[in-house]
């Protein structure tokens, strides 16, 4: 400490020599007085034990700050303070002593001098202090450069936003320092970090500006992060920061890039009857996205706020609110909103009816059919989703004839049933023993361009397995292989089970070897259960036992029914031999 004190005293003497001996003004007199006081403090006798010891760095900070007031250069600072031990508290004190806008460049000079000449490692607090000082003085280019450096050094450690907020009151540069941080994050393509910082600061009373939100959205869109862009846009509206033309354009670009714009335009055309402005399309798309994510209550609150600010048309807002209630489901509120919509002179539309039909198809199929008839009587045209809801509901209720009727009407109207609707109808027909009708229906769909999935074929395979038609079972499998959807453990399991039911156990066993050709297609317990049961039915107990042994070697466990059937067959065979 004595060597440090000696250095400080010499530095003070050097400073005093630069000040006129005859005090010509009050500022010089005050500076000489404070410098001499600093010297007396440093050379005073040490404090006794138990006595409070004041830190030295306030006096050192005063000397350095006073030297900076003379516009010293790097060389001058090094000559006078090159041997002074710099600490984090001392550096922060010097920076805060130079926090006024007139001293901001001097603070920046000291910051760079201490790091470049003295190799001093600034911590995140030091970076935040100098950024605050520079922003307060309007030196935004320098502040942005230092923020980029701080983010590069400390992005994986402490939150820059957290430390920047904790040091804010020491300088009070204004809220634009936080906007500068978020924009710097975004320009460095760290949009997720920018969004995290935005939420952190917003929760503490510092909402980002519209420019900062637009910057985050633009960078997210250009980097292909459409999901993040929607999150930023939603948070922006929740914080009551409302979009401008630039915001809308970015979100339209997000929708175009994700390929969802045509679908959204189609939805709004059904609701409103004519093309909507871009802002309405974007706002409605956000609400519909929230509904589809299962956050119906949040969507309703947002839509009501949009309606108050005329951000969406009345019929669009009410239609989407009804859709949200149907998703919850809260059909009483859906009907109340429907009545309110009518009282506001808004016309009911096919989207509203489709939402109600979809909800009632899962609860009361009779009411869903009534709504479809009411919709048609009003001259509204159902679309593919309307038919799909009704077909699935009718199929699940076992109303096969009505389901087929709407399938045919759907095709006549130029719509193709969805895979879920086709699967539901085919499964219902096959379970009802009408497998030939199901096969004809699938053939018609394929001719009209339907791309079948695995479950459609499996429903038919199960149906022909019930009737014992092994020829059709194999023919369907070969068709699946031709379409590239046949190499699957689920398919092999179904083929083995149904061929065994048809009495073609030897043919079924070939699929067991197919299931073991690769690691992804390992034979399962269900495959062995079906084969063992099939051989027991044929009376080939020896082959059944061999498969059972192979099953145990592969550490597979047979089901209780298979095991008991095998035991009974073994006992019966032994008993017949004794006779």
């Amino acid at each position: 400490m004595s060597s440090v004190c000696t250095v400080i005293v010499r530095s003070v003497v050097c400073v005093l020599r630069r000040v006129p001996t005859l005090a010509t003004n009050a500022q010089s007199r005050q500076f000489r007085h404070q410098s001499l006081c600093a010297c007396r403090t440093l050379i005073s006798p040490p404090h006794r034990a138990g006595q409070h010891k004041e830190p030295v760095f306030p006096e050192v900070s005063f000397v350095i700050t006073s030297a900076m007031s003379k516009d010293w250069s790097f060389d001058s600072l090094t000559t006078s303070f090159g041997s002074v031990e710099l600490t984090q508290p001392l550096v922060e004190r010097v920076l805060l002593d130079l926090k006024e806008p007139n001293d901001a460049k001097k603070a920046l000079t000291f910051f760079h001098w201490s790091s470049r000449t003295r190799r001093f490692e600034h911590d995140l607090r030091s970076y935040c202090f100098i950024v605050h000082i520079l922003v307060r003085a309007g030196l935004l280019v320098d502040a942005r450069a230092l923020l980029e450096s701080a983010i590069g050094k400390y992005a994986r450690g402490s939150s820059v936003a957290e430390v920047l907020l904790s040091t804010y009151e020491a300088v009070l540069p204004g809220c634009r320092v936080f906007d500068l941080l978020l924009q710097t994050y975004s320009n460095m393509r760290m949009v997720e970090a920018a969004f995290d910082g935005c939420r952190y600061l917003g929760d503490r009373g510092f909402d980002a500006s519209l420019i900062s939100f637009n910057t985050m959205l633009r960078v997210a869109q250009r980097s292909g992060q459409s999901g993040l862009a929607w999150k930023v846009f939603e948070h922006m509206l929740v914080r009551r920061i409302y979009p401008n033309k630039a915001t809308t354009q970015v979100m339209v670009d997000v929708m175009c890039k994700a390929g969802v714009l045509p679908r959204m335009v189609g939805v709004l055309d059904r609701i409103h009857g004519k093309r909507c402005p871009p802002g309405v399309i974007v706002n409605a798309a956000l609400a519909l996205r929230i509904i589809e994510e299962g956050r119906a209550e949040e969507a309703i609150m947002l839509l009501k706020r949009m309606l108050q600010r005329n951000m969406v048309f009345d019929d669009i807002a009410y239609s989407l609110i009804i859709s949200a209630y149907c998703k919850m489901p809260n059909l009483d509120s859906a009907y109340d909103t429907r009545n309110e919509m009518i009282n506001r002179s808004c016309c009911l539309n096919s989207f509203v009816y489709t939402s109600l039909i979809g909800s009632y198809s899962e609860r009361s199929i009779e009411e869903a059919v009534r709504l479809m008839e009411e919709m048609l009587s009003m001259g509204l045209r159902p679309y593919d989703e309307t038919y799909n809801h009704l077909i699935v509901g009718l199929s699940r209720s076992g109303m096969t004839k009505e389901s087929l009727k709407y399938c045919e009407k759907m095709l006549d109207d130029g719509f193709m049933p969805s895979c879920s609707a086709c699967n539901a109808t085919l499964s219902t027909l096959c379970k009802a023993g009408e497998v030939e009708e199901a096969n004809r229906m699938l053939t018609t769909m394929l001719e009209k361009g339907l791309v079948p999935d695995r479950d459609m074929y499996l429903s038919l395979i199960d149906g022909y397995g019930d009737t014992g038609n092994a020829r059709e079972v194999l023919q369907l499998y070969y068709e699946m292989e031709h379409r590239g959807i046949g190499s699957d453990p689920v398919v092999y399991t179904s083929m083995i089970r149904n061929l065994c039911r048809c009495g073609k156990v030897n043919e079924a066993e070939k699929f067991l070897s197919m299931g073991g050709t690769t690691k992804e297609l390992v034979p399962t317990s269900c495959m062995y259960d079906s084969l063992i049961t099939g051989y027991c039915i044929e009376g080939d107990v020896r082959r059944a036992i061999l498969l059972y042994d192979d099953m145990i070697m592969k550490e597979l466990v047979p089901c209780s029914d298979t095991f008991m059937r095998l035991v009974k067959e073994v006992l019966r065979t032994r008993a017949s031999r004794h006779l």
Side-chain angles (χ1 to χ4, degrees):
M1 175 61 75
S2 60
S3 61
V4 174
C5 293
T6 304
V7 171
I8 298 298
V9 172
R10 288 176 180 174
S11 300
V12 172
V13 172
C14 181
V15 172
L16 291 175
R17 286 174 181 171
R18 293 173 176 263
V19 182
T21 306
L22 297 175
T24 56
N25 53 52
Q27 184 178 2
S28 297
R29 288 196 298 273
Q30 182 183 8
F31 172 67
R32 292 174 63 86
H33 173 72
Q34 290 178 334
S35 300
L36 290 172
C37 289
C39 289
R40 292 191 189 100
T41 302
L42 292 172
I43 63 177
S44 60
H47 293 263
R48 296 178 181 178
Q51 191 175 5
H52 178 66
K53 185 175 181 179
E54 294 292 333
V56 176
F57 71 79
E59 289 79 11
V60 180
S61 168
F62 165 73
V63 175
I64 296 176
T65 305
S66 301
M68 293 297 300
S69 67
K70 306 301 176 182
D71 296 326
W72 278 18
S73 63
F74 275 23
D75 293 338
S76 301
L77 286 170
T78 302
T79 300
S80 299
F81 303 104
S83 301
V84 175
E85 180 182 358
L86 296 179
T87 62
Q88 297 292 350
L90 174 59
V91 170
E92 290 178 15
R93 180 62 181 268
V94 173
L95 291 175
L96 290 177
D97 286 344
L98 297 170
K99 69 180 180 180
E100 297 302 324
N102 292 336
D103 296 327
K105 290 188 177 180
K106 299 170 187 175
L108 182 62
T109 299
F110 172 74
F111 185 88
H112 287 315
W113 169 79
S114 57
S115 60
R116 295 178 186 176
T117 306
R118 298 298 311 281
R119 301 291 188 270
F120 179 75
E121 187 71 26
H122 290 288
D123 63 5
L124 187 53
R125 281 176 57 86
S126 296
Y127 272 99
C128 290
F129 278 127
I130 189 62
V131 167
H132 284 312
I133 293 167
L134 294 173
V135 170
R136 186 183 181 191
L139 303 175
L140 301 184
V141 175
D142 295 315
R144 184 178 291 107
L146 287 174
L147 273 176
E148 290 177 358
S149 178
I151 291 170
K153 285 184 177 180
Y154 300 104
R156 296 182 180 179
S158 304
S159 167
V160 179
E162 184 178 346
V163 179
L164 199 67
L165 181 62
S166 67
T167 55
Y168 174 80
E169 292 188 358
V171 182
L172 296 175
C175 297
R176 61 178 176 174
V177 67
F178 302 122
D179 283 314
L180 185 65
L181 171 66
L182 302 181
Q183 293 166 29
T184 302
Y185 265 130
S186 299
N187 292 331
M188 295 174 69
R189 295 188 176 277
M190 301 173 65
V191 191
E192 289 190 11
F195 185 45
D196 290 341
C198 175
R199 288 182 295 181
Y200 176 83
L201 295 168
D203 291 342
R204 286 150 184 83
F206 293 95
D207 283 321
S209 67
L210 181 58
I211 295 176
S212 295
F213 275 111
N214 284 347
T215 304
M216 285 187 279
L217 289 172
R218 185 179 64 255
V219 176
Q221 183 268 327
R222 289 178 178 175
S223 58
Q225 302 180 71
S226 61
L228 180 59
W230 283 111
K231 289 180 181 179
V232 173
F233 185 59
E234 179 186 349
H235 182 73
M236 171 181 167
L237 294 181
V238 169
R239 302 301 301 185
R240 300 180 187 273
I241 308 296
Y242 296 105
N244 59 7
K245 186 176 180 180
T247 316
T248 301
Q249 183 59 55
V250 172
M251 294 311 299
V252 168
D253 292 340
V254 169
M255 295 176 71
C256 289
K257 199 168 186 177
V260 299
L261 184 60
R263 171 179 173 266
M264 194 63 216
V265 171
V267 169
L268 296 184
D269 285 350
R270 294 188 187 106
I271 295 174
H272 194 59
K274 57 184 178 181
R275 195 55 47 90
C276 298
V280 174
I281 294 174
V282 169
N283 296 332
L286 173 63
L288 188 60
R289 182 184 179 89
I290 296 173
I291 293 171
E292 291 174 348
E293 289 177 354
R295 298 185 287 135
E297 293 183 357
E298 297 176 40
I300 292 169
M301 291 179 59
L302 185 62
L303 281 165
K304 289 181 178 178
R305 189 183 302 169
M306 287 180 178
L307 191 59
Q308 290 174 351
R309 295 187 59 88
N310 295 321
M311 296 174 68
V312 291
F313 297 131
D314 289 6
D315 53 354
I316 293 175
Y318 280 116
S319 298
L320 292 176
I321 289 173
I322 290 171
S323 176
Y325 280 128
C326 289
K327 291 282 186 182
M328 293 176 67
N330 186 344
L331 294 174
D332 291 338
S333 297
Y335 266 102
D336 290 341
T337 306
R338 176 178 179 268
N339 295 333
E340 184 180 348
M341 181 178 180
I342 296 172
N343 294 334
R344 292 285 296 269
S345 299
C346 296
C347 296
L348 296 177
N349 52 72
S350 58
F351 180 84
V352 169
Y353 274 101
T354 299
S355 299
L356 292 169
I357 289 171
S359 187
Y360 273 110
S361 293
E362 300 176 0
R363 293 160 185 83
S364 174
I365 192 61
E366 293 80 9
E367 180 65 16
V369 173
R370 189 196 67 78
L371 285 167
M372 173 65 96
E373 293 173 352
E374 180 182 316
M375 177 182 180
L376 293 171
S377 67
M378 293 179 63
L380 297 174
R381 185 170 181 258
Y383 52 98
D384 52 355
E385 192 173 345
T386 318
Y387 283 114
N388 286 328
H389 284 316
L390 203 56
I391 291 168
V392 171
L394 289 168
S395 298
R396 289 175 178 170
S397 301
M399 303 169 70
T400 55
K401 290 183 179 180
E402 291 81 358
S403 177
L404 284 173
K405 183 184 75 173
Y406 280 107
C407 271
E408 292 172 359
K409 185 170 177 54
M410 183 178 187
L411 292 171
D412 292 339
D413 286 350
F415 298 111
M416 181 65 66
S418 65
C419 287
S420 60
C422 286
N423 283 324
T425 304
L426 291 172
S427 177
T428 302
L429 287 170
C430 291
K431 289 177 181 177
E434 301 181 33
V435 63
E436 293 297 338
E437 181 64 32
N439 200 357
R440 281 194 294 271
M441 174 187 167
L442 179 60
T443 302
T444 303
M445 299 292 184
L446 294 176
E447 290 173 352
K448 291 185 177 293
L450 175 70
V451 178
D453 62 7
R454 182 190 67 185
D455 293 337
M456 295 181 192
Y457 281 103
L458 292 181
S459 294
L460 288 174
I461 288 172
D462 287 340
Y464 280 116
D466 290 339
T467 61
N469 194 334
R471 179 174 171 275
E472 288 294 337
V473 169
L474 288 170
Q475 186 174 337
L476 286 167
Y477 169 74
Y478 295 141
E479 189 175 334
M480 290 179 73
E481 279 224 313
H482 177 70
R483 294 184 179 275
I485 54 176
S487 300
D488 187 293
V490 177
V491 175
Y492 291 151
T493 302
S494 178
M495 290 299 297
I496 291 172
R497 182 180 66 252
N498 285 290
L499 286 172
C500 288
R501 292 164 68 193
C502 296
K504 302 292 184 180
V505 188
N506 292 328
E507 193 70 27
E509 192 172 347
K510 295 177 182 178
F511 287 91
L512 184 67
S513 58
M514 290 182 186
T517 54
T518 63
K519 291 182 179 179
E520 292 78 13
L521 302 176
V522 178
T524 63
S525 297
C526 293
M527 294 179 183
Y528 280 102
D529 285 337
S530 297
L531 288 168
I532 292 170
T533 301
Y535 279 118
C536 287
I537 292 173
E538 287 192 349
D540 193 346
V541 181
R542 179 175 173 278
R543 187 59 188 161
I545 292 174
L546 289 175
L547 286 170
Y548 175 78
D549 292 340
D550 189 35
M551 186 180 188
I552 299 302
M553 287 180 62
K554 288 184 170 64
E555 298 183 352
L556 298 174
V557 180
C559 69
S560 57
D561 290 342
T562 301
F563 181 75
M564 292 306 298
R565 178 181 282 272
L566 181 60
V567 170
K568 289 178 181 179
E569 287 298 319
V570 171
L571 293 175
R572 186 185 62 79
T573 303
R574 289 181 178 177
S576 63
R577 286 178 183 175
H578 287 301
L579 292 176

